[in-house]
Amino acid sequence: MDSSIDYTSPSTEFTFDVNNNTLFKKDVFNFLNVLGVQQLNTLNNTSLIDIFLSANNVIEPHYHPNASELVYCISGAMTASLLNPFTKQYQTYSITPGQVVNIPQGWWHYQFATVDQTHVLAIFNAPTPEVILGSDILTLTPSNIMAHTYSMDKGQWEKAIAPIIPSTYIGPRQNNKTTDENKPQQYVDDMNHYEGREYIN
């Protein structure tokens, strides 16, 4: 029992409707609901993401710096791939209802639904699951740094990542347009945040 929680306080929370806390929504078939200590203050070292996907939709490559992840399939079917940092090889596992896959803390991974109406629960051993998304790494790292580091032409790099929207979460996009008016407000805010900064050329 966590002694830091005052179980006698009238503000102590024991229930929460996860349907009321959407982290990301691509459409009515593909969305993520989240539960952490901000939503339920009696949680100790547990949090979860309730994941709904249709066939061929992907939870983008990412990792969790503060937690391991246990993915439990409720309905449908999902394939999870994780990069083993010790062998430098991807390990791929398919799960169906009642099956789980465990993803160790800090391991790069992605998941995709292989059938419609896939529903899985991702359970974390941390009160709030932190995430580093592949789309954020690719788009928010200065282009000149990526090009210089990997001996690429900066223009080629910028052209290659132009279609990527930061914080994609669920891909692929519903349309292939890449103009700013089709990008979500968070993308525009992220780009404005980085404009005007000076980096090494």
Side-chain angles (χ1 to χ4, degrees):
M1 183 182 302
D2 188 342
S3 60
S4 66
I5 298 173
D6 181 1
Y7 291 101
T8 65
S9 169
S11 64
T12 303
E13 301 163 333
F14 295 97
T15 184
F16 183 81
D17 186 347
V18 180
N19 296 305
N20 294 329
N21 196 43
T22 300
L23 171 68
F24 182 88
K25 184 172 184 179
K26 175 181 172 181
D27 56 39
V28 296
F29 303 107
N30 298 277
F31 58 94
L32 312 171
N33 294 329
V34 65
L35 174 71
V37 72
Q38 294 86 357
Q39 293 76 44
L40 193 60
N41 62 19
T42 52
L43 287 177
N44 190 0
N45 286 318
T46 306
S47 51
L48 63 85
I49 299 178
D50 203 15
I51 302 170
F52 297 85
L53 297 173
S54 53
N56 299 316
N57 278 268
V58 180
I59 302 295
E60 70 165 304
H62 64 282
Y63 69 94
H64 304 286
N66 71 327
S68 296
E69 176 181 358
L70 182 68
V71 182
Y72 174 78
C73 185
I74 297 169
S75 63
M78 171 178 277
T79 296
S81 293
L82 42 145
L83 179 61
N84 186 321
F86 302 101
T87 65
K88 304 291 192 259
Q89 294 179 335
Y90 271 98
Q91 298 171 200
T92 300
Y93 304 96
S94 296
I95 57 173
T96 55
Q99 297 179 329
V100 300
V101 62
N102 188 49
I103 302 163
Q105 180 177 339
W107 285 30
W108 185 251
H109 63 284
Y110 58 90
Q111 301 113 311
F112 66 91
T114 54
V115 299
D116 286 336
Q117 297 181 348
T118 291
H119 180 196
V120 301
L121 197 61
I123 305 161
F124 302 89
N125 61 346
T128 301
E130 298 171 353
V131 63
I132 306 297
L133 300 170
S135 57
D136 291 343
I137 291 172
L138 290 171
T139 56
L140 301 178
T141 303
S143 295
N144 58 305
I145 296 299
M146 295 295 271
H148 176 76
T149 302
Y150 301 111
S151 302
M152 297 176 63
D153 176 80
K154 182 177 176 233
Q156 286 180 314
W157 174 259
E158 290 173 344
K159 183 177 178 182
I161 67 167
I164 301 174
I165 297 173
S167 302
T168 296
Y169 281 100
I170 301 174
R173 288 199 324 270
Q174 290 177 293
N175 64 56
N176 292 322
K177 296 179 181 178
T178 59
T179 57
D180 280 342
E181 60 267 20
N182 292 307
K183 293 179 178 176
Q185 186 60 43
Q186 184 61 48
Y187 175 86
V188 176
D189 292 344
D190 287 341
M191 291 302 99
N192 290 339
H193 176 72
Y194 283 89
E195 276 183 9
R197 290 191 178 188
E198 293 184 5
Y199 298 100
I200 301 170
N201 289 321

